[in-house]
Amino acid sequence: MDAAASINFYEPRPVKAREAALQGLSEAPAQHPPTVRLHAQSARAAAADSDAEDFTAAFHAADNACRALPPRPARRFGLHTAPLADYALTPYPATS
């Protein structure tokens, strides 16, 4: 759903982007880097839809989710996934 949110964001279909991010959040584990990315996706979709209140709420949720990540990052296919969360907190708001 992270990829679907990006595709819809750049189309531009911000409502569909936010829907994809929220659908992903309904399935993502709370303390996992993709949760951070999905909140950040929701934030930039809200900004693209001129919804400052939802942008702020979603960006704070992304930041809080990032702070809640365990000290030992999860590994996926032998790679650390924490950089994915850190990355989402910089360029996603910048594209907002």
Side-chain angles (χ1 to χ4, degrees):
M1 296 318 306
D2 181 38
S6 285
I7 290 165
N8 282 297
F9 174 77
Y10 287 112
E11 274 304 312
R13 293 185 299 244
V15 172
K16 294 261 186 212
R18 196 175 340 177
E19 289 171 357
L22 294 175
Q23 183 178 349
L25 283 167
S26 73
E27 305 263 340
Q31 291 189 325
H32 203 271
T35 298
V36 177
R37 290 178 62 86
L38 289 164
H39 280 298
Q41 289 277 28
S42 180
R44 72 180 183 169
D49 200 27
S50 300
D51 189 337
E53 188 175 314
D54 279 357
F55 165 79
T56 301
F59 183 71
H60 285 296
D63 188 45
N64 290 338
C66 191
R67 293 173 194 269
L69 291 176
R72 293 192 100 179
R75 294 178 72 88
R76 182 87 172 147
F77 304 113
L79 301 172
H80 288 289
T81 56
L84 296 174
D86 293 335
Y87 177 77
L89 290 178
T90 305
Y92 284 11
T95 59
S96 298

